[in-house]
């Protein structure tokens, strides 16, 4: 199974499972109620973890792994999922939670035989097998709790973990560690599907069933990468790969010990809480933390072969600077002044007038709809080869969409909406992976058209859109991911800037955002974008089934 299908499958499973789980959440008590420590004001289902776990584990069944290590990981993830679901439904105490975490990690350490022996600043295997097993048990449980406790704002824990997994997956790719790349990809897909419902204001929370499994997965991959798959890398690299959640949980424990508080009782002194108290909005706090985490994991790739001292100094330099600034701001009484922004009154008034002009909005959106439709059709007609599995999937998708439209009027929009996104993914992947059907000039023209479309989208979102469409912290994650792919590719000497993967991701992201704008603003989007998507799916089906390989 290719990376494309792994990511697509895990994302689809996650997006399908979460709405189903939300329906039963109130019946089994899995609803998060507001309280003074939390930032949400209304009850929210705590079943996002079901989608994340299903999205990660279901594709693994098709990968053909049979070694005890992966089996131990799956067993451990299921143990944590069960204990996490129990906690989400019944609010169990910290001791049963610790028991579940220890049991899950013990499976990996003693059955999968994965444990730490290399330590920073020490040559060779510094730890004996028993010492390494005990150290790994404590460290992985610590990471599970760090990710679990960072789940305090919409999209925060998921986004931080996603950034770590991008770096881990890339390092696994460089060392041909298939287990690392595959497991990172399916977990990323599960997170992407979850973030579809978790962007502020969230419609669903991941709960302990999701956050504990994410912490366990990240810890598992980092240990395996540094201790087995990429032993040439610095032994201190986990600090940068795990990033801010580790420092945050240590700082919180320090404050609890210093204040003689219960170590295990939740408090409002995490980094995200402190940013909110300083006047940063939910949106700003999440983006700031994403930025710090993105910087740390990027440094992990840059410094993967650096001396342990350089890695440790970089990590603690960033972390100490962060907490020094927080303490300085808190002690000085500094608060972010939202009202102090300087605006040009005339320009603001002009933009407001343009925004209220419905004809200008409609013109922009129709232009975007026509451009996207043309690009999709060009991609499916000009791709050189259509594999048979694409043809089969496209035929099935076309049949399902047509049957849904014919049988249930209520589901027409949903069916066409799904067809649009599937078609965009298929079209861009086929054109960028099998470009021999298009000339170099045509491919350059396609890329230029995508760039122009991106500029038009930027103008529309910044100056013409209203509350129906705007940027979110998830959009920043997408930007970070694209920049990381470009930077990692250059650093990895993979000529990534010109690679099919980068073009596929870039083209898809721009077209996905364009589709969101069209569907959100244009009432008659089905006549253009929906029709073009159905035609494109039919073309892929016919080409794949007739001449596919």
């Amino acid at each position: 199974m290719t990376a494309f299908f792994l990511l697509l499958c895990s994302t689809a499973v996650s997006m399908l499972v979460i709405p189903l789980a939300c329906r039963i959440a109130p019946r089994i008590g899995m609803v998060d109620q507001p309280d003074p420590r939390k930032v949400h004001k209304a009850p929210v289902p705590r079943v996002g973890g079901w989608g994340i776990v299903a999205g990660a584990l279901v594709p693994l069944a098709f990968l053909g792994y049979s070694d005890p290590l992966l089996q131990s990981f799956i067993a451990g993830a299921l143990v944590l999922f069960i204990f996490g679901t129990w906690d989400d439904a019944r609010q169990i105490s910290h001791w049963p939670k610790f028991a579940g975490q220890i049991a899950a990690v013990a499976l990996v350490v003693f059955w999968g035989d994965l444990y730490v022996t290399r330590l920073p600043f020490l040559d060779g295997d510094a730890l004996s097998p028993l010492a390494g097993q005990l150290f790994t048990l404590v460290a992985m449980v610590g990471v599970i709790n760090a990710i679990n406790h960072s789940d305090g704002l919409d999209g925060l824990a998921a986004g931080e973990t996603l950034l770590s997994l991008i770096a881990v997956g890339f390092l696994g790719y460089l060392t041909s560690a298939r287990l690392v790349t595959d497991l990172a990809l399916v977990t990323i897909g599960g997170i992407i599907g979850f973030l579809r419902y978790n962007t502020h204001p969230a419609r669903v929370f991941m709960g302990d069933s999701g956050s504990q499994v994410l912490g366990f997965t990240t810890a598992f991959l980092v240990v395996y990468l540094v201790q087995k798959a990429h032993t040439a890398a610095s032994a201190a690299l986990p600090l940068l790969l795990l990033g801010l959640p580790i420092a945050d949980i240590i700082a919180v424990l320090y404050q609890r010990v210093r204040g003689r508080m219960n170590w295990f009782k939740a408090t409002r002194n995490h980094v995200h809480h402190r940013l909110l108290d300083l006047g940063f909005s939910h949106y700003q706090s999440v983006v700031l933390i994403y930025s710090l985490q993105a910087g740390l994991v990027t440094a992990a790739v840059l410094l993967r072969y650096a001396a342990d001292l350089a890695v440790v100094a970089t990590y603690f330099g960033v972390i100490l600077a962060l907490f020094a600034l927080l303490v300085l701001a808190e002690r000085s009484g500094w608060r972010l002044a939202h009202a102090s922004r300087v605006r040009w009154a005339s320009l603001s008034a002009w933009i407001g007038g343009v925004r209220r002009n419905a004809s200008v909005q409609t013109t922009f959106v129709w232009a975007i709809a026509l451009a996207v439709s043309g690009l999709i059709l060009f991609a499916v007609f000009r791709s050189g080869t259509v594999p048979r599995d694409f043809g089969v999937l496209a035929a099935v998708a076309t049949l399902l969409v047509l049957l849904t439209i014919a049988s249930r009027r209520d589901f027409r929009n949903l069916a066409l909406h799904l067809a649009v996104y599937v078609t965009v993914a298929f079209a861009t992947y086929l054109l960028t992976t099998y470009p021999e059907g298009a000339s170099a000039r045509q491919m350059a023209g396609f890329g230029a058209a995508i760039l122009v479309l991106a500029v038009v989208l930027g103008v529309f979102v910044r100056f013409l859109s209203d509350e129906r469409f705007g940027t979110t912290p998830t959009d920043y994650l997408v930007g970070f991911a694209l920049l990381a792919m470009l930077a990692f590719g250059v650093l990895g000497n993979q000529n990534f800037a010109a690679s099919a993967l980068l073009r596929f991701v870039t083209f898809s992201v721009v077209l996905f955002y364009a589709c969101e704008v069209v569907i959100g603003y244009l009432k008659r989007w089905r006549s253009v974008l929906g029709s073009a998507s159905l035609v494109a799916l039919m073309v892929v089906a016919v080409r794949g089934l007739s001449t596919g390989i």
Side-chain angles (χ1 to χ4, degrees):
M1 185 178 289
T2 65
F4 171 77
F5 277 108
L6 275 179
L7 192 62
L8 183 64
C9 179
S10 58
T11 303
V13 170
S14 179
M15 291 182 67
L16 289 172
V17 167
I18 289 174
L20 297 175
C22 285
R23 294 184 179 183
I24 66 173
R27 303 177 187 176
I28 57 178
M30 294 185 65
V31 176
D32 198 307
Q33 301 293 338
D35 67 41
R37 191 184 63 85
K38 299 173 182 176
V39 298
H40 62 285
K41 306 301 181 184
V44 179
R46 267 196 305 253
V47 292
W50 293 26
I52 294 173
V53 175
L57 296 186
V58 168
L60 291 180
F62 301 97
L63 293 180
Y65 288 105
S66 59
D67 59 292
L69 181 58
L70 184 63
Q71 293 170 356
S72 69
F73 166 79
I74 294 174
L78 290 175
V79 168
L80 282 175
F81 176 73
I82 292 170
F83 274 82
T85 301
W86 182 19
D87 183 50
D88 292 334
R90 296 292 180 264
Q91 296 294 290
I92 61 177
S93 70
H94 53 270
W95 293 117
K97 291 170 66 173
F98 274 127
Q101 293 165 5
I102 293 171
V105 176
L107 286 169
V108 168
V109 171
F110 297 105
W111 176 17
D113 199 32
L114 178 67
Y115 53 89
V116 173
T117 58
R118 299 172 57 227
L119 290 178
F121 307 110
L122 299 175
D123 295 329
D125 292 338
L127 296 177
S128 67
L130 179 59
Q133 289 167 344
L134 294 176
F135 176 83
T136 306
L137 196 65
V138 174
M140 289 186 66
V141 168
V143 173
I144 292 170
N145 283 282
I147 299 298
N148 183 31
H149 284 80
S150 70
D151 186 26
L153 297 180
D154 296 343
L156 184 56
E160 286 182 299
T161 307
L162 179 66
L163 291 166
S164 293
L165 290 174
I166 290 173
V168 170
F170 175 73
L171 291 174
Y173 164 74
L174 289 182
T175 55
S176 300
R178 183 188 166 196
L179 176 62
V180 175
T181 53
D182 286 350
L183 188 52
L185 274 175
V186 295
T187 310
I188 287 171
I191 294 172
I192 291 173
F194 166 72
L195 286 173
R196 179 68 177 81
Y197 305 97
N198 189 243
T199 299
H200 183 69
R203 288 174 283 169
V204 64
F205 293 157
M206 71 169 67
D208 274 26
S209 63
S211 60
Q212 292 196 75
V213 173
L214 284 184
F216 174 69
T217 303
T218 308
F220 171 87
L221 287 174
V222 168
V223 173
Y224 181 80
L225 176 72
V226 175
Q227 297 295 322
K228 291 195 173 184
H230 198 8
T231 54
S234 167
L237 207 61
L239 286 173
L240 293 173
L241 288 172
L242 297 169
L244 186 56
I246 302 301
D248 185 34
I249 191 66
I250 292 174
V252 168
L253 286 174
Y254 169 75
Q255 292 179 65
R256 291 175 185 175
V257 171
R258 185 181 180 187
R260 297 182 179 180
M261 296 180 284
N262 186 333
W263 288 21
F264 307 112
K265 184 178 180 179
T267 54
R268 189 182 168 86
N269 53 2
H270 289 275
V271 168
H272 54 270
H273 291 134
R274 297 168 73 175
L275 289 173
L276 291 173
D277 292 340
L278 289 173
F280 289 93
S281 67
H282 187 292
Y283 177 98
Q284 293 166 331
S285 300
V286 173
V287 170
L288 279 172
I289 293 174
Y290 281 173
S291 301
L292 284 168
Q293 183 76 349
L296 289 170
V297 299
T298 301
V301 177
L302 287 168
L303 300 175
R304 61 188 183 276
Y305 297 127
D308 293 341
L309 180 60
V311 174
V312 172
T314 300
Y315 178 75
F316 282 103
V318 173
I319 297 303
L320 290 176
L322 167 65
F323 284 101
L325 289 173
L326 283 175
V327 171
L328 179 63
E330 290 165 347
R331 292 182 177 178
S332 65
W334 180 89
R335 294 294 182 273
L336 183 67
H338 295 284
S340 64
R341 300 172 183 172
V342 178
R343 298 178 179 177
W344 293 354
S346 58
L347 178 61
S348 178
W350 179 81
I351 292 174
V354 172
R355 181 180 285 119
R356 289 188 294 271
N357 191 327
S359 62
V360 175
Q361 282 189 346
T362 302
T363 301
F364 260 81
V365 178
W366 268 107
I368 293 171
L370 292 171
V372 173
S373 301
L375 290 170
I376 289 173
L377 291 171
F378 172 85
V380 298
F381 276 108
R382 302 308 298 176
S383 60
T385 303
V386 178
R388 185 171 296 277
D389 53 358
F390 271 80
V392 172
L393 289 173
V396 172
T398 302
L399 181 61
L400 289 176
V401 171
L402 291 176
L403 288 175
T404 304
I405 292 174
S407 60
R408 293 293 299 275
R409 184 179 181 87
D410 295 341
F411 290 103
R412 285 186 178 182
N413 281 347
L414 179 61
L416 284 174
H417 203 146
L418 178 63
V420 167
Y421 285 103
V422 170
T423 305
V424 167
F426 278 18
T428 51
Y429 182 82
L430 290 172
L431 183 65
T432 54
T433 307
Y434 307 101
E436 59 270 16
S439 66
R441 180 174 296 181
Q442 288 174 329
M443 288 298 296
F446 187 90
I450 291 289
L451 178 60
V452 171
L453 179 61
V455 173
V456 171
L457 283 171
V459 171
F460 181 84
V461 171
R462 178 63 181 86
F463 298 110
L464 301 178
S465 65
D466 52 29
E467 68 278 0
R468 288 176 292 178
F469 190 89
T471 56
T472 69
T474 304
D475 301 322
Y476 281 85
L477 275 181
V478 173
F480 285 142
L482 290 176
L483 290 175
M485 289 172 65
L486 177 60
F488 292 170
V490 172
L491 293 170
N493 296 319
Q494 304 295 321
N495 194 21
F496 217 72
S499 71
L501 179 59
L502 181 61
R503 292 198 302 272
F504 161 64
V505 174
T506 304
F507 294 170
S508 297
V509 167
V510 174
L511 290 174
F512 282 149
Y513 276 101
C515 291
E516 281 289 320
V517 169
V518 173
I519 293 171
Y521 279 89
L522 200 60
K523 293 181 179 179
R524 292 184 292 170
W525 66 270
R526 296 184 298 274
S527 62
V528 178
L529 190 56
S531 300
S533 299
L534 274 176
V535 171
L537 274 179
M538 292 177 186
V539 171
V540 173
V542 171
R543 293 188 62 195
L545 293 175
S546 61
T547 61
I549 56 176

